[in-house]
Amino acid sequence: MNSSEFRRRGKEMVDYVANYMEGIESRQVYPDVEPGYLRPLIPAAAPQEPDTFEDIISDVEKIIMPGVTHWHSPYFFAYFPTASSYPAMLADMLCGAIGCIGFSWAASPACTELESVMMDWLGKMLELPEAFLAGNTGKGGGVIQGSASEATLVALLAARTKVTRRLQAASPELTPGAIMEKLVAYTSDQAHSSVERAGLIGGVKLKAIPSDDNFAMRASALQEAVERDKAAGLIPFFVVATLGTTSCCSFDNLLEVGPLCNKEDMWLHIDAAYAGSAFICPEFRHLLNGVEFADSFNFNPHKWLLVNFDCSAMWVKKRTDLTGAFKLDPVYLKHSHEDSGLITDYRHWQLPLGRRFRSLKMWFVFRMYGVKGLQAYIRKHVQLSHEFESLVRQDPRFEICAQVILGLVCFRLKGSNKLNEALLQRINSAKKIHLVPCHLRDKFVLRFAICSRTVESAHVRLAWEHITELAAAVLSAERE
């Protein structure tokens, strides 16, 4: 494909994408396929001679689209949002065209410098403490990770290195292995499974702290676990606090947990993967109060801030805590500006070496929406979630199971778990809308998350009508 054909095909692809997005509402939100559907539809090996672009596009509709779950459909209410916007798509095209691997400043100066500035822009939108910003002289700063899971793991590994070096400095006879077997980390019993996975990969004990009646981690429960472990000879070193849990969007009590972590010299990492986007709105910023006690903070603009996947924003108070843990400098990666103090090589902030020019997406989206446009988008989703909550509360057959703070409503039929499992099965079998469940204590609960960029009140109301019709059928079947 030469540049002339690329121009023509590129315009066709933009049209295809625009048509897909404009017509997504008419597509069935969840596919009618079984595992293994795709393999029989394509050849067993790559073609020896080139295929035509027309044939490929034809096969997209015949082979790919029948197996796609349409996350951007206004009838998709599962999981959490995955961000999508036209400015971000355009930026991704440019990112692919430039194609740099921005592991160091020298590898592509603009890639490194724009990321540093965009993370400061976003940090200022969130009113993060100055310590988390890079600026021209700051000791902290931000980095784009691939996911919140990566950010948690990076934070845990950095904390592990930091505590190991501190203990060895005080007691040189201690080996890393002797320290490692005593390290213990903590998180809420409502935390995402990626936190447990970080503990597994990091080779440290991770303990779940029982949450309170609002599904939040409190300092009293954490303190009790820390004291018990210290008495047993263990070394508490790392805490993950969640703002906006996956199950029900609950918020750990940062104003209690933060001071305790500082007193006990435990690294505090905040995972706000979904909820963090809302903190750009003044009326939701209080949910981030206590971030000043944290060592690291992360959320996903690729969930709810119109920046397409992948773009997970992570800040640290002291970037040397990261670079000290991950820094390796083979001669082929060195360059003459490493020690200028004005730039940072992001390969020292992350697990992979390679990295894409992801800050372009932030730059395009922030400029084309503006802070006010992004705030309006968040507020609309929150308003729609409260509209759905109101509909649920008006029906005496249903109950709300957790406080509705942002864009997630947890609800269920009053009755047994089996009854609610049957309702969810009918909802997802009908494939008009898509939901996923969670467990809150011993209850099987349905989650209704406002997700699509194009969702409106009419979609929410149609979804509720559909749910109530199926609920009536489930209740009728139970009585028979």
Side-chain angles (χ1 to χ4, degrees):
M1 182 181 286
N2 58 27
S3 61
S4 176
E5 186 179 2
F6 174 72
R7 289 178 190 275
R8 181 161 58 94
R9 300 305 189 186
K11 291 169 184 173
E12 290 175 8
M13 181 56 77
V14 167
D15 283 340
Y16 181 86
V17 169
N19 289 337
Y20 169 71
M21 298 304 292
E22 287 178 345
I24 197 169
E25 184 174 342
S26 64
R27 293 180 184 259
Q28 183 173 285
V29 64
Y30 194 79
D32 277 320
V33 295
E34 297 295 328
Y37 90 95
L38 189 143
R39 186 173 289 274
L41 301 179
I42 61 176
Q48 294 297 315
E49 300 296 332
D51 278 344
T52 67
F53 186 79
E54 288 85 355
D55 286 343
I56 296 170
I57 290 297
S58 174
D59 284 346
V60 167
E61 278 297 330
K62 288 190 295 186
I63 298 171
I64 302 302
M65 286 299 176
V68 169
T69 299
H70 298 287
W71 280 63
H72 302 292
S73 166
Y75 296 113
F76 182 92
F77 301 104
Y79 310 107
F80 274 134
T82 181
S84 177
S85 69
Y86 293 123
M89 293 181 207
L90 293 173
D92 249 345
M93 289 176 64
L94 181 57
C95 173
I98 293 172
C100 63
I101 312 296
F103 48 78
S104 72
W105 180 87
S108 195
C111 182
T112 292
E113 297 202 16
L114 185 65
E115 182 163 336
S116 181
V117 174
M118 287 302 100
M119 292 300 293
D120 276 2
W121 274 21
L122 186 52
K124 290 174 183 176
M125 287 186 218
L126 299 166
E127 297 182 11
L128 287 183
E130 194 72 24
F132 286 100
L133 306 181
N136 289 321
T137 58
K139 295 181 179 179
V143 57
I144 301 174
Q145 304 286 0
S147 66
S149 305
E150 285 180 44
T152 300
L153 177 58
V154 164
L156 182 143
L157 295 177
R160 190 185 73 179
T161 299
K162 186 176 182 180
V163 70
T164 299
R165 289 174 178 168
R166 186 180 77 230
L167 293 173
Q168 283 188 303
S171 305
E173 73 280 4
L174 285 175
T175 65
I179 294 170
M180 275 273 291
E181 66 183 14
K182 293 185 177 182
L183 293 179
V184 57
Y186 307 90
T187 194
S188 164
D189 59 10
Q190 298 298 311
H192 192 270
S193 60
S194 61
V195 182
E196 182 179 1
R197 195 164 182 261
L200 288 173
I201 297 171
V204 299
K205 301 175 186 68
L206 179 74
K207 298 194 175 182
I209 304 301
S211 54
D212 68 7
D213 291 343
N214 292 317
F215 306 103
M217 178 168 63
R218 304 295 297 272
S220 55
L222 177 59
Q223 178 80 68
E224 184 180 331
V226 168
E227 294 301 331
R228 186 168 57 246
D229 289 337
K230 285 165 64 178
L234 297 176
I235 305 169
F237 83 107
F238 184 71
V239 175
V240 177
T242 305
L243 300 182
T245 57
T246 302
S247 292
C248 65
C249 199
S250 60
F251 290 77
D252 290 338
N253 195 314
L254 275 187
L255 291 171
E256 290 184 359
V257 169
L260 173 61
C261 291
N262 289 181
K263 180 170 79 75
E264 297 289 345
D265 209 3
M266 298 184 293
W267 180 301
L268 174 59
H269 176 70
I270 298 173
D271 175 8
Y274 161 67
S277 296
F279 304 154
I280 68 169
C281 299
E283 65 269 32
F284 300 124
R285 174 56 178 79
H286 70 278
L287 296 168
L288 188 55
N289 288 349
V291 67
E292 60 271 17
F293 299 111
D295 297 276
S296 54
F297 166 68
N298 169 259
F299 85 97
N300 291 341
H302 68 229
K303 275 193 169 67
W304 204 15
L305 209 60
L306 296 168
V307 181
N308 291 28
F309 187 86
D310 59 342
C311 182
S312 188
M314 179 186 185
W315 290 266
V316 288
K317 268 185 183 166
K318 296 181 180 178
R319 57 177 173 264
T320 53
D321 287 342
L322 288 192
T323 58
F326 301 115
K327 188 169 184 176
L328 291 172
D329 265 330
V331 67
Y332 50 81
L333 297 180
K334 286 182 172 292
H335 58 88
S336 59
H337 298 284
E338 282 183 317
D339 300 319
S340 69
L342 296 175
I343 54 92
T344 181
D345 285 353
Y346 276 122
R347 71 180 187 273
H348 303 312
W349 295 56
Q350 61 175 24
L351 299 176
L353 174 65
R355 56 202 336 273
R356 300 187 306 120
F357 202 163
R358 291 175 290 202
S359 57
L360 282 171
K361 293 183 289 192
M362 299 171 76
W363 196 43
F364 274 46
V365 169
F366 296 166
R367 293 181 69 183
M368 296 192 74
Y369 278 89
V371 175
K372 290 184 178 179
L374 295 171
Q375 290 172 335
Y377 178 68
I378 297 293
R379 287 167 178 150
K380 176 183 174 182
H381 274 202
V382 175
Q383 179 185 345
L384 290 174
S385 74
H386 286 299
E387 182 176 349
F388 184 80
E389 176 194 15
S390 176
L391 293 170
V392 176
R393 291 191 184 279
Q394 291 170 35
D395 192 322
R397 298 172 299 174
F398 287 87
E399 60 182 339
I400 296 291
C401 304
Q403 184 180 2
V404 179
I405 299 174
L406 298 177
L408 175 68
V409 182
C410 291
F411 72 107
R412 70 196 300 272
L413 277 169
K414 294 173 182 176
S416 68
N417 285 345
K418 186 177 179 181
L419 185 71
N420 284 280
E421 289 168 6
L423 174 58
L424 182 66
Q425 195 276 331
R426 287 191 184 230
I427 290 170
N428 286 335
S429 293
K431 297 182 171 67
K432 288 186 177 180
I433 64 173
H434 189 44
L435 305 182
V436 294
C438 69
H439 273 102
L440 294 177
R441 305 290 188 246
D442 58 347
K443 287 185 176 181
F444 184 88
V445 173
L446 281 64
R447 298 169 72 263
F448 189 93
I450 305 297
C451 292
S452 170
R453 177 174 55 83
T454 59
V455 67
E456 300 288 348
S457 174
H459 301 114
V460 170
R461 290 183 174 274
L462 281 171
W464 177 242
E465 289 175 14
H466 180 58
I467 291 168
T468 55
E469 288 173 6
L470 295 178
V474 168
L475 290 167
S476 176
E478 186 188 43
R479 288 192 292 268
E480 291 175 358

